[in-house]
């Protein structure tokens, strides 16, 4: 008899307090939606002193519908729905199962990983990146040690690991060296989100404008863009294109925040939007000259594919994972090449930009990856 699937939704339920999702949140939401239609799935959550709790599938379905609506609108987050799920939950079964965690939540708790699969069961974990251990300078204080603990537990206890890219698989093997990774490692590229309907009520910034999408933290390299925009404002004045930064404020970002809040040249040409619903974001992207992704490191980089799926050009750091997922379509630049980024921005800002038109022509043959292909591999 086949084992039941036990899907841990701990992170997703906790993240309901946020008005908009991160990339990992979106992946976990897709996993919850997919496995709702799979007979025999057990939806569980680790609830502190209450231990493992089994959730009612019908209530999980209602929660996901509410969460999708809330994130689409970009309103206030709430934990009331999460509390309702827990109130109606019951003790998690102790039998064997295939435990699956589609995020990094609770990997630092070996007792939970063991409990999730049960005696005689199996454990599969979705690894999104190894960035905190590869680049501790970009992590929160203590983040590198915490992620190393996660990886060590995964390598010791998991039976299989799903990764979002070959780049992540390579990084995992590098971390595990000189020992080999004994688990089966499955490279399953992420799908592209369903196309959101643009919200016509969202007011667009003055044309031309660019969009940078992602949490405001050092790894995303917002400083490059802000220094660039300050220099362009000094040289071009009112002719400087606009920049819209979309994302909540993260960590170790004091310099970025100071520039956003205190530099008059930047404040005249740069807007910061921390909680933008999917409809408003779709309208914003559709009118942009390009999406800017100057990151120093990424595990996948969902915004690149999201923009390309909307036929929006992308200017991105020359990272192996971007070339793996987006091929030769974006314009790639070194994340420290300030003059190169300025030339690209000024070129793409032109109404009849040949550079922008050439990238859009390359997009004609590009097929956005879908979630069905991802889950076919995972199943």
């Amino acid at each position: 008899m086949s084992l039941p699937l036990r899907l841990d939704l701990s992170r997703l339920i906790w993240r309901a307090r946020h008005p908009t999702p991160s990339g990992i949140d979106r992946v976990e939401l897709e996993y919850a939606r997919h496995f709702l239609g799979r007979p025999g799935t057990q939806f569980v959550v680790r609830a502190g002193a209450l231990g493992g709790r089994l959730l009612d599938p019908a209530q999980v379905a209602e929660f996901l519908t509410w969460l999708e609506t809330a994130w689409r609108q970009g309103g206030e987050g709430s934990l009331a729905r999460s509390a309702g799920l827990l109130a109606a939950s019951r003790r998690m079964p102790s039998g064997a199962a295939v435990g699956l965690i589609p995020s990094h939540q609770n990997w630092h708790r070996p007792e939970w990983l063991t409990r999730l699969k049960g005696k005689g069961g199996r454990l599969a974990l979705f690894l999104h990146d190894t960035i905190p251990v590869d680049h501790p300078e970009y992590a929160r204080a203590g983040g590198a040690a915490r992620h190393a603990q996660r990886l060590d537990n995964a390598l010791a206890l998991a039976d299989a690991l799903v990764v979002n890219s070959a780049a992540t698989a390579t990084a995992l093997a590098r971390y595990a060296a000189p020992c080999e990774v004994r688990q089966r490692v499955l490279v399953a590229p992420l799908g592209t989100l369903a196309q959101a309907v643009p919200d016509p009520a969202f007011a667009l910034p003055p044309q031309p404008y660019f969009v940078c999408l992602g949490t405001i933290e050092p790894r995303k390299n917002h400083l490059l863009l802000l220094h660039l925009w300050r220099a362009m404002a000094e040289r071009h004045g009112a002719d400087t294109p606009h920049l819209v930064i979309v994302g909540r404020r993260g960590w170790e970002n004091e310099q970025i925040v100071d520039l956003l809040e205190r530099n008059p040249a930047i404040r005249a040409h740069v807007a910061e939007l921390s909680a933008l619903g999917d409809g408003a974001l779709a309208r914003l992207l559709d009118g942009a000259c390009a999406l800017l992704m100057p990151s120093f490191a990424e595990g996948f980089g969902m915004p690149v594919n999201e923009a390309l799926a909307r036929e929006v050009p992308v200017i991105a750091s020359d990272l192996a994972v971007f070339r793996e997922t987006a091929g030769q379509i974006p314009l790639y630049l070194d994340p420290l090449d300030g003059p190169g980024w300025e030339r690209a921005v000024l070129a793409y800002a032109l109404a009849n930009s040949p550079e922008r038109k050439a990238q859009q022509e390359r997009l004609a043959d590009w097929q956005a990856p879908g979630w069905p292909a991802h889950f076919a591999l995972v199943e």
Side-chain angles (χ1 to χ4, degrees), residues 16 28 43 50 62 94 105 107 113 128 134 188 210 249 261 269-270 291 304 322 328 342 374:
E28 191 167 7
F43 298 95
L50 294 176
E62 293 178 3
S94 59
Q105 193 78 5
W107 287 26
L113 300 182
H128 293 262
D134 294 335
F210 294 79
R249 293 184 178 183
E261 294 183 349
H269 300 284
V270 178
L291 173 77
V304 169
F322 287 159
Q328 299 303 312
E342 180 175 355
H374 173 89

Side-chain angles (χ1 to χ4, degrees), residues 141-276:
R146 173 62 64 87
H147 205 57
Q149 187 180 21
R150 293 188 187 111
L151 293 176
D152 291 344
N153 287 339
L155 292 169
L157 299 173
D159 299 282
L161 293 163
V162 180
V163 295
N164 50 13
S165 64
T168 299
T170 299
L172 174 64
R174 184 170 57 244
Y175 175 82
C179 301
E180 292 185 0
V181 178
R182 66 170 182 83
Q183 290 81 2
R184 178 183 178 187
V185 177
L186 171 71
V187 177
L190 301 180
T192 304
L193 300 175
Q195 294 290 304
V197 177
D199 180 1
F202 178 74
L204 293 176
Q207 286 278 7
Y209 69 88
F210 294 79
V211 175
C212 178
L213 176 59
T215 302
I216 299 176
E217 43 112 344
R219 175 173 61 87
K220 299 291 186 178
N221 200 16
H222 290 85
L223 274 180
L224 171 87
L225 298 181
L226 294 181
H227 287 307
L228 169 60
W229 248 263
R230 180 175 60 183
M232 288 195 300
E234 293 173 353
R235 285 193 285 269
H236 305 289
D239 294 329
T240 303
H242 286 254
L243 172 65
V244 183
I245 295 175
V246 181
R248 66 182 182 87
R249 293 184 178 183
W251 51 91
E252 305 294 336
N253 56 19
E254 291 82 1
Q255 286 183 292
I256 302 170
V257 172
D258 284 345
L259 285 168
L260 286 169
E261 294 183 349
R262 298 165 57 185
N263 187 275
I266 288 175
R267 293 180 64 184
H269 300 284
V270 178
E272 177 191 2
L273 301 175
S274 61
L276 203 60

